[in-house]
Amino acid sequence: MKKKWWHDKVAYQIYPKSFFDTNQDGIGDLRGITEKLDYLKNLGIDIIWISPVYQSPFVDQGYDISDYYAIDPAFGTMEDMDRLIAEAKKRDMYIVMDLVVNHCSSQHEWFRKAVEDPHGKYGNYFYIKEGKDGNPPCNWRSYFGGSVWEKLPGHDNLYYLHLFAKEQPDLNWENPELRQEIYKMIRWWLEKGIAGFRLDAIINIKKDLRFQSFPEDREDGLSSFTCELEQAEGIHEFLQEMKEEAFAPYNAFTIGELFDYRPEELEQYIGDDGCFESIFDFSTHLLGSDPRGWYAFTPVTPEEYKKAVFDSKHRTWKTGFMANIIENHDEPRGVSHYIREEDLNEISKKMLAGITMMQYGLPFLYQGQEIGMSNTVFSSIDEVDDISTIDEYRNAREQGLSEAEALKAVAGQSRDNARTPVQWDASENAGFTSAVPWRKVNPNYKEINVAEQEGRPGSVLEFYKELIRLRKNPVYQEAVVYGEEIPFRESEENLMAFYRKGREKTLLVLANWQRESRTVEIPLEFDRVLVNNTAENTEIENGKVFMSSYQFLILEKE
Ligand code: TEU
Ligand code: CA
């Protein structure tokens, strides 16, 4: 495996609407990001991925783009963007933009022209098909519910494809002209000096053009199109072409968002000649999900988590670096998702921090994770903005759940948990804005906020800093970045432990993922505590270490 400049770095995702508001309109903005660059630098962040800031009607919060060359006024101006890029450069930080090219917005000029003239040039930028006997071309269900086909306005028997919302028409990647438009846009942004892109829903760009129906799998008479994803062949031709024409000339950093990749194709994605630099590791995010919908989710156990991580690291070892996350803007807060509510405190949050930061791969934090932000509370479905949660709520109601049951069932999965404003301090609206914030602040902001944690020994924030410093410390770096991840006492329940075996140093990482304390037997030579998430003075005697509730330790040889 070739070494890359970004392997020893730490990355951070910003969801700009909820990050920091500087003009007091209740919406986070680009200037807000620039103002907080020093905060991020001080935390130890090198690479910043910003969720979409392009012009958008915000049906799916910016993942529906109506102009790829414009900044939405809600976030500021192109000058603000240029300034952010320049200020980041000054601090040796890298800006990564979101590339949303599986679909655009139905307000995009291309789509408007396609509606006007479906048989003309722009009609071929989308998938426009004739219906069958008054029905859509096939029975696939969109990610956000309902058919993937919508009638093309003003045309009786013509439908267009949208795998996500109907306001997000899919772009026809089979059309070379469309592909060239996209590459041109990518080069335009790279020319501005950004470091690269995170590629949204990229697995979806290749379709099985037969558009076959599958057996229905829910009462809506539709079928999940995951079967289609399994059948679609030839994505790598598109991705390699995009790499050659757009990314490679700029040596761009690229990170793919793909859930359904085939393990045997890993090399083609992130190997030395792969089409991307990295992809996100979603192995633990897929746990507990149920084809019936969010309401049927089962909580993830430490044993499942451990197995998923070890399998994934074993699979990727020597091929490439995946990006390790516990949460993002599409997921609930990691601490709420992976730790039982009654056990949630600073110690257990720091344990999860330790586990994720010590994994083989690129650590990728999501805004607010560094202070242990947790899921919010919804008193009714009317408080929910996220299109996906609203659809899952409807699905749960259709399955017979009461309003209260349905809300409870989907609240824990809701994408809005991650989209509440960042909690900067204990002042009104958590210091995010002095106006009415576009999303309600999590009511726990008075206890959980940056100002309270900054400089306080034992805080979640200071623990993240400590772990990041360890990754950057020349003495430990090789082991933390490139050391092989070898499971330790894997069969011991609720113990997540592994070595990071570097060329010279080997570290032993231990996490007691349970409320009960325990004694762990360890090899005699690991007798020095390097990192400890508690204030306890942990002693190691005769190859035995006593671990308290949710304790996390990194040990080394004296
Ligand atoms: O997500 C892609 C994706 O697969 C999601 O549908 C995910 O399964 C879903 O969010 C779970 O509720 C990307 C973006 O990250 C997401 O925010 C967008 O909504 C989506 O693409 C469409 O652009
Ligand atoms: Ca603003």
Side-chain angles (χ1 to χ4, degrees):
M1 187 181 82
K2 273 190 237 153
K3 291 197 173 171
K4 303 278 178 72
W5 66 267
W6 52 270
H7 281 165
D8 56 13
K9 303 285 185 265
V10 178
Y12 186 96
Q13 180 191 354
I14 289 184
Y15 194 69
K17 254 192 154 174
S18 303
F19 189 64
F20 188 55
D21 177 22
T22 56
N23 65 343
Q24 314 313 328
D25 62 355
I27 300 174
D29 40 53
L30 289 171
R31 288 178 182 217
I33 302 175
T34 308
E35 270 191 36
K36 296 291 184 187
L37 282 178
D38 288 329
Y39 163 76
L40 295 173
K41 182 78 193 173
N42 184 255
L43 172 60
I45 303 303
D46 310 288
I47 300 171
I48 302 172
W49 154 34
I50 306 174
S51 276
V53 288
Y54 312 92
Q55 183 182 298
S56 167
F58 292 107
V59 170
D60 186 21
Q61 290 310 341
Y63 283 91
D64 45 325
I65 297 170
S66 54
D67 185 349
Y68 290 96
Y69 294 93
I71 297 292
D72 195 279
F75 297 120
T77 62
M78 194 57 83
E79 289 69 51
D80 293 337
M81 187 71 217
D82 291 334
R83 210 179 125 238
L84 170 59
I85 297 169
E87 289 296 321
K89 274 222 171 96
K90 272 191 208 163
R91 293 165 176 80
D92 290 322
M93 295 166 97
Y94 304 84
I95 300 290
V96 170
M97 301 268 290
D98 215 310
L99 188 68
V100 189
V101 288
N102 173 66
H103 46 268
C104 61
S105 160
S106 51
Q107 304 284 315
H108 195 289
E109 194 190 356
W110 297 338
F111 191 69
R112 285 195 273 126
K113 289 188 172 159
V115 173
E116 267 166 39
D117 179 12
H119 304 290
K121 167 176 165 166
Y122 291 99
N124 197 26
Y125 273 39
F126 299 90
Y127 294 98
I128 297 176
K129 296 261 167 283
E130 284 186 4
K132 284 185 190 153
D133 319 315
N135 292 315
C138 71
N139 73 345
W140 303 345
R141 179 187 306 109
S142 85
Y143 279 110
F144 297 147
S147 170
V148 296
W149 298 101
E150 180 74 12
K151 276 209 165 132
L152 198 68
H155 303 275
D156 244 5
N157 194 32
L158 287 184
Y159 294 80
Y160 69 91
L161 179 78
H162 62 91
L163 297 185
F164 293 87
K166 66 177 190 314
E167 295 85 354
Q168 295 168 298
D170 279 53
L171 290 165
N172 178 11
W173 273 72
E174 305 293 331
N175 178 355
E177 218 177 322
L178 176 267
R179 297 204 301 273
Q180 286 305 325
E181 287 272 13
I182 291 174
Y183 306 154
K184 189 176 92 189
M185 181 269 291
I186 295 173
R187 291 189 296 256
W188 188 85
W189 276 103
L190 289 168
E191 204 59 54
K192 270 187 173 294
I194 64 165
F197 288 97
R198 171 263 188 189
L199 292 96
D200 185 71
I202 199 68
I203 196 92
N204 296 111
I205 64 171
K206 185 72 200 188
K207 273 69 171 172
D208 182 334
L209 300 171
R210 290 172 295 176
F211 297 110
Q212 285 174 322
S213 285
F214 297 110
E216 54 187 70
D217 55 17
R218 281 191 198 171
E219 265 137 56
D220 58 9
L222 301 173
S223 153
S224 150
F225 62 82
T226 41
C227 321
E228 188 266 342
L229 283 175
E230 281 158 25
Q231 287 177 1
E233 292 293 341
I235 190 169
H236 292 284
E237 284 151 38
F238 291 160
L239 295 178
Q240 276 300 338
E241 182 187 83
M242 173 159 56
K243 178 183 171 183
E244 278 156 34
E245 300 220 12
F247 299 136
Y250 294 86
N251 212 351
F253 175 71
T254 50
I255 175 157
E257 184 216 25
L258 46 159
F259 282 90
D260 310 85
Y261 76 94
R262 302 168 191 155
E264 66 275 17
E265 291 178 6
L266 191 72
E267 180 77 37
Q268 284 170 279
Y269 285 113
I270 60 167
D272 282 348
D273 299 313
C275 51
F276 306 133
E277 294 284 291
S278 186
I279 60 177
F280 288 101
D281 188 345
F282 289 119
S283 54
T284 62
H285 300 264
L286 299 169
L287 298 171
S289 62
D290 189 295
R292 287 171 297 168
W294 287 3
Y295 74 90
F297 172 82
T298 37
V300 183
T301 66
E303 287 306 293
E304 289 165 332
Y305 188 98
K306 176 164 90 178
K307 186 172 183 315
V309 167
F310 288 159
D311 285 353
S312 165
K313 298 311 159 198
H314 184 73
R315 225 180 10 250
T316 50
W317 172 244
K318 289 193 171 157
T319 301
F321 259 45
M322 280 197 153
N324 298 324
I325 60 166
I326 60 165
E327 64 202 44
N328 65 28
H329 68 294
D330 289 336
E331 301 288 334
R333 288 289 178 176
V335 293
S336 301
H337 196 66
Y338 297 116
I339 296 167
R340 297 201 318 224
E341 200 179 345
E342 57 275 26
D343 291 354
L344 201 54
N345 54 40
E346 282 201 315
I347 302 283
S348 57
K349 287 176 182 181
K350 287 188 284 181
M351 180 207 72
L352 193 61
I355 290 174
T356 171
M357 295 299 294
M358 289 304 291
Q359 293 303 323
Y360 168 68
L362 175 70
F364 219 114
L365 277 65
Y366 177 72
Q367 64 185 34
Q369 175 183 334
E370 73 274 24
I371 54 168
M373 280 179 65
S374 54
N375 280 355
T376 193
V377 282
F378 303 98
S379 52
S380 103
I381 190 70
D382 301 334
E383 286 187 358
V384 173
D385 163 82
D386 166 34
I387 184 170
S388 187
T389 311
I390 294 169
D391 172 58
E392 291 287 350
Y393 175 83
R394 195 189 40 71
N395 177 43
R397 290 283 285 138
E398 273 169 20
Q399 297 306 310
L401 276 72
S402 72
E403 281 181 20
E405 287 164 347
L407 184 65
K408 188 161 179 270
V410 299
Q413 307 298 302
S414 177
R415 306 200 296 179
D416 278 351
N417 286 304
R419 300 177 182 187
T420 64
V422 170
Q423 295 161 207
W424 295 104
D425 59 41
S427 70
E428 204 183 347
N429 297 323
F432 163 72
T433 183
S434 59
V436 179
W438 78 284
R439 303 296 309 141
K440 259 202 199 163
V441 174
N442 188 320
N444 66 17
Y445 74 91
K446 291 212 164 111
E447 296 86 59
I448 300 174
N449 62 67
V450 172
E452 193 282 325
Q453 296 191 18
E454 197 116 64
R456 172 169 62 77
S459 72
V460 178
L461 180 59
E462 292 304 321
F463 195 63
Y464 268 104
K465 286 187 198 164
E466 184 181 346
L467 293 163
I468 293 173
R469 279 198 301 270
L470 185 72
R471 187 179 184 84
K472 298 191 171 179
N473 180 333
V475 179
Y476 300 100
Q477 187 159 56
E478 197 273 332
V480 176
V481 176
Y482 293 109
E484 185 175 2
E485 183 164 332
I486 306 169
F488 175 73
R489 294 197 172 276
E490 200 178 344
S491 59
E492 244 173 81
E493 222 186 324
N494 299 344
L495 178 75
M496 179 149 180
F498 51 91
Y499 294 104
R500 291 302 308 278
K501 190 171 180 302
R503 262 180 290 128
E504 267 137 43
K505 279 248 168 233
T506 297
L507 302 173
L508 178 55
V509 179
L510 303 171
N512 180 27
W513 194 326
Q514 61 180 13
R515 187 184 297 189
E516 298 72 30
S517 54
R518 68 172 352 125
T519 300
V520 183
E521 278 186 45
I522 53 166
L524 275 172
E525 55 288 10
F526 286 89
D527 51 3
R528 202 179 101 81
V529 176
L530 185 63
V531 172
N532 182 350
N533 70 336
T534 73
E536 286 153 35
N537 183 18
T538 297
E539 306 263 349
I540 301 170
E541 264 170 48
N542 302 326
K544 285 199 173 83
V545 58
F546 176 81
M547 296 187 79
S548 57
S549 181
Y550 287 94
Q551 190 166 22
F552 173 87
L553 296 169
I554 303 177
L555 307 182
E556 65 173 332
K557 302 173 192 173
E558 193 68 78

